[in-house]
Amino acid sequence: MGADGFSVRGGIRVVPTIGGGVRADSGWPMARLRAGQTSITFTEIWAGTLVITSDNLVAIRRWRNTGLEFEVADHGELWMFRTLNVNRLISRLLALGWNVEQ
């Protein structure tokens, strides 16, 4: 992506916020997270695409020891992104100006 962003492969789990269950779940390297200063985009074949901006972001939280949970205001789902090095992902998001709850 260049100096102002990055892209990383990982796994994704999409869970509805109401009713429970799992809508999509895939392992590494089936999902891609692309992050820049103005947006974060997830792409996964079964889950589809999610675009996060500062306008619709509720929170980014550490999820277990393997990933991050993304809560977005205009979606009734939580997107959990799993990666091989969650600490590196957090550092890279913080460097772009994204707030990550740890």
Side-chain angles (χ1 to χ4, degrees), residues 12-18 20-25 42 47 50 52 57-61 63 68-81:
I12 198 102
R13 172 175 258 189
V14 181
V15 178
T17 55
I18 297 175
V22 175
R23 183 174 72 80
D25 195 4
F42 291 104
L50 174 69
I52 300 170
L57 178 65
V58 174
I60 302 171
R61 300 177 196 94
W63 182 63
L68 295 176
E69 174 184 274
F70 294 80
E71 183 178 355
V72 182
D74 55 2
H75 272 67
E77 302 170 321
L78 298 174
W79 288 56
M80 284 75 113
F81 185 81

Side-chain angles (χ1 to χ4, degrees), residues 61-102:
R61 300 177 196 94
R62 181 183 282 271
W63 182 63
R64 301 181 182 171
N65 287 325
T66 59
L68 295 176
E69 174 184 274
F70 294 80
E71 183 178 355
V72 182
D74 55 2
H75 272 67
E77 302 170 321
L78 298 174
W79 288 56
M80 284 75 113
F81 185 81
R82 295 183 299 263
T83 183
L84 298 175
N85 190 336
V86 70
N87 291 327
R88 182 166 186 231
L89 176 58
I90 290 170
S91 294
R92 293 174 87 180
L93 288 170
L94 290 171
L96 290 174
W98 295 96
N99 183 34
V100 180
E101 298 174 13
Q102 299 186 53

Side-chain angles (χ1 to χ4, degrees), residues 1-8 32-41 92 96:
M1 279 193 75
D4 60 342
F6 66 91
S7 176
V8 63
R32 180 177 295 278
L33 178 152
R34 288 186 170 93
Q37 293 179 330
T38 59
S39 69
I40 299 171
T41 302
R92 293 174 87 180
L96 290 174

